[in-house]
Amino acid sequence: MTYKPSTIAIHNGLNEDQQFGCVVPPIYLSSTYNFTDFNEPRAHDYSRRGNPGRDIVQKTLAQLEGGSGSVMTNSGMSALHLLCTVFLQPGDLLVAPHDCYGGSYRLFNSQSQRGAYQVQFVDQSDESALQAALAKKPKLVLIETPSNPLLRIFDIQHIAQLAHDVGALVVVDNTFLSPILQQPLSLGADFVVHSCTKYLNGHSDIVAGVVIAKEEKWVTELAWWANNIGVTGGAFDSYLLLRGIRTLSPRVLQQQQNAQEIVKYLKSQPLVKKLYYPALEDHPGHEIAVKQQKGFGAMLSFEFAGDESQLRHFLRSLSLFTLAESLGGVETLISHTATMTHAGMSAEARAQAGITDSLLRISVGIEDSQDLITDLDHAFKVAAQR
């Protein structure tokens, strides 16, 4: 029987313990496992290669995204690094978004400078620029949609078809929406990556990542290399990630509802110069979002209209919005893009990507939306008086 994502998130791994009848799968903290006899290993022999708890969460994530399997890694960045290690060699080209997450940009740029592979950062909404990059026959194409931090929307199905036509594999970073709101494999992607630190875990208490593959042959290769270079997820993180996934659907839907209320409020604020949220009809790619997403998510960004002094007072006056990097937790976070999440990009690269020094990004949590709006209103009033 095929279940909906909410059911998959709840029921995977339940009631599988045969020894004690545990409803919830236990945590297997053992680093090593004994052999039954000479040259007769069990299903698990060493925890870097495999762990029973990690098996369950990997199966759950693959089913949520509609993939053949997945490999949980020790961070979102190691998930991307794993993909590049497996599928790119010196001289191969990676095509990546010019406005991708700052950590991704830093990884690709630094690896390219060392000669591990080549990278070209492209505005994927510019059809001619995209076509020119694809004409160079890349091996791997990364799509980040919605993008971080400007929430740009890209047509996964269209780009995947173009990439496949030149023999490239397609990776979609689905961190911002989660499989509850978007499933890239069904739109033509070959791989999906997540920073599991974010929505999948949802409680800001682990760092983890995952690569989900459409085809089984890729799962086997990714798992071999993950063990080889030592980027697999640990036992306790696997437990916490699975626990977080149990409430993924209600969390994401509540966060999205709160975000929509906050967007309504921000639209009327004089200190908001420009607002970025895919549900807005004038947002770039809005029609694509309607087509390929099941919702608009809980991430939003805006450009602050005041000067730096007012910006500082605004941030200091917030009580319920924590000034911190990351996203997707039950708590609401706000970050200053240029000095935080995208500080690893040069000022020139940020300018080319449209990231200004006044840009703020909000990850909306599950608090009461009116309390969040009241907090914002107070901070805007303080800033306006400076």
Side-chain angles (χ1 to χ4, degrees), residues 222-375:
L222 287 162
W224 189 91
W225 275 100
N227 177 55
N228 187 35
I229 62 178
V231 297
T232 50
F236 193 64
D237 286 345
S238 298
Y239 165 78
L240 287 177
L241 176 54
L242 185 63
R243 187 180 66 166
I245 290 171
R246 303 298 193 202
T247 59
L248 176 62
S249 182
R251 282 190 288 103
V252 166
L253 296 178
Q254 182 61 55
Q255 287 166 299
Q256 178 176 251
Q257 182 177 328
N258 285 354
Q260 291 169 352
E261 293 298 320
I262 289 172
V263 166
K264 289 179 187 177
Y265 165 79
L266 291 175
K267 286 169 67 176
S268 65
Q269 295 310 302
L271 283 176
V272 175
K273 182 163 57 176
K274 190 170 183 179
L275 183 59
Y276 302 90
Y277 187 63
L280 299 173
E281 292 187 1
D282 60 349
H283 185 86
H286 168 76
E287 293 182 357
I288 299 171
V290 171
K291 178 184 71 171
Q292 71 185 18
Q293 299 174 195
K294 297 177 182 177
F296 299 104
M299 298 298 300
L300 62 98
S301 296
F302 68 92
E303 293 181 22
F304 189 82
D307 58 27
E308 183 177 316
S309 175
Q310 289 177 301
L311 175 62
R312 288 173 179 266
H313 280 94
F314 171 75
L315 293 173
R316 288 170 182 164
S317 300
L318 292 168
S319 298
L320 299 180
F321 290 69
T322 299
L323 182 62
E325 297 182 353
S326 198
L327 58 102
V330 294
E331 71 288 344
T332 297
L333 303 178
I334 188 168
S335 63
H336 180 247
T337 306
T339 60
M340 297 174 73
T341 57
H342 288 65
M345 295 174 67
S346 67
E348 180 182 10
R350 288 198 301 270
Q352 290 176 347
I355 300 171
T356 69
D357 288 344
S358 65
L359 187 70
L360 297 173
R361 190 194 73 184
I362 295 176
S363 169
V364 182
I366 63 171
E367 302 95 335
D368 184 272
S369 61
Q370 189 54 57
D371 286 342
L372 292 172
I373 290 170
T374 300
D375 193 38

Side-chain angles (χ1 to χ4, degrees), residues 91-289:
D92 289 344
L93 177 63
L94 163 68
V95 171
H98 75 314
D99 62 340
C100 61
Y101 165 56
S104 303
Y105 185 97
R106 180 180 57 219
L107 171 67
F108 303 146
N109 190 51
S110 60
Q111 288 289 80
S112 176
Q113 290 175 353
R114 297 186 66 182
Y117 47 80
Q118 298 178 31
V119 62
Q120 182 171 346
F121 296 103
V122 177
D123 180 353
Q124 295 178 347
S125 64
D126 183 336
E127 187 72 13
S128 61
L130 177 62
Q131 293 273 11
L134 293 175
K136 298 178 182 179
K137 296 189 180 300
K139 291 292 181 67
L140 210 58
V141 175
L142 172 68
I143 306 169
E144 188 181 282
T145 182
S147 71
N148 183 0
L150 294 174
L151 289 305
R152 291 184 174 124
I153 305 297
F154 301 101
D155 191 326
I156 296 172
Q157 193 167 25
H158 174 65
I159 297 176
Q161 182 60 61
L162 294 177
H164 289 155
D165 287 346
V166 298
L169 293 171
V170 176
V171 185
V172 175
D173 187 332
N174 200 27
T175 299
F176 267 29
L177 289 181
S178 88
I180 299 301
L181 299 180
Q182 181 171 263
Q183 295 186 318
L185 296 181
S186 68
L187 299 170
D190 301 298
F191 305 97
V192 173
V193 294
H194 286 271
S195 171
C196 301
T197 313
K198 314 302 195 298
Y199 284 103
L200 293 177
N201 171 254
H203 294 82
S204 301
D205 53 9
I206 70 165
V207 175
V210 70
V211 182
I212 301 152
K214 179 180 289 186
E215 296 190 18
E216 182 62 36
K217 64 179 181 180
W218 293 327
V219 179
T220 302
E221 192 166 2
L222 287 162
W224 189 91
W225 275 100
N227 177 55
N228 187 35
I229 62 178
V231 297
T232 50
F236 193 64
D237 286 345
S238 298
Y239 165 78
L240 287 177
L241 176 54
L242 185 63
R243 187 180 66 166
I245 290 171
R246 303 298 193 202
T247 59
L248 176 62
S249 182
R251 282 190 288 103
V252 166
L253 296 178
Q254 182 61 55
Q255 287 166 299
Q256 178 176 251
Q257 182 177 328
N258 285 354
Q260 291 169 352
E261 293 298 320
I262 289 172
V263 166
K264 289 179 187 177
Y265 165 79
L266 291 175
K267 286 169 67 176
S268 65
Q269 295 310 302
L271 283 176
V272 175
K273 182 163 57 176
K274 190 170 183 179
L275 183 59
Y276 302 90
Y277 187 63
L280 299 173
E281 292 187 1
D282 60 349
H283 185 86
H286 168 76
E287 293 182 357
I288 299 171

Side-chain angles (χ1 to χ4, degrees), residues 42-82:
R42 300 176 187 270
H44 301 93
D45 56 8
Y46 192 67
S47 201
R48 183 183 67 243
R49 188 173 72 85
N51 176 279
R54 191 163 77 234
D55 291 351
I56 294 171
V57 78
Q58 287 177 161
K59 178 182 177 182
T60 303
L61 290 168
Q63 289 185 356
L64 285 170
E65 286 285 10
S68 294
S70 73
V71 177
M72 178 189 166
T73 63
N74 52 25
S75 72
M77 294 310 305
S78 65
L80 283 173
H81 184 46
L82 174 62

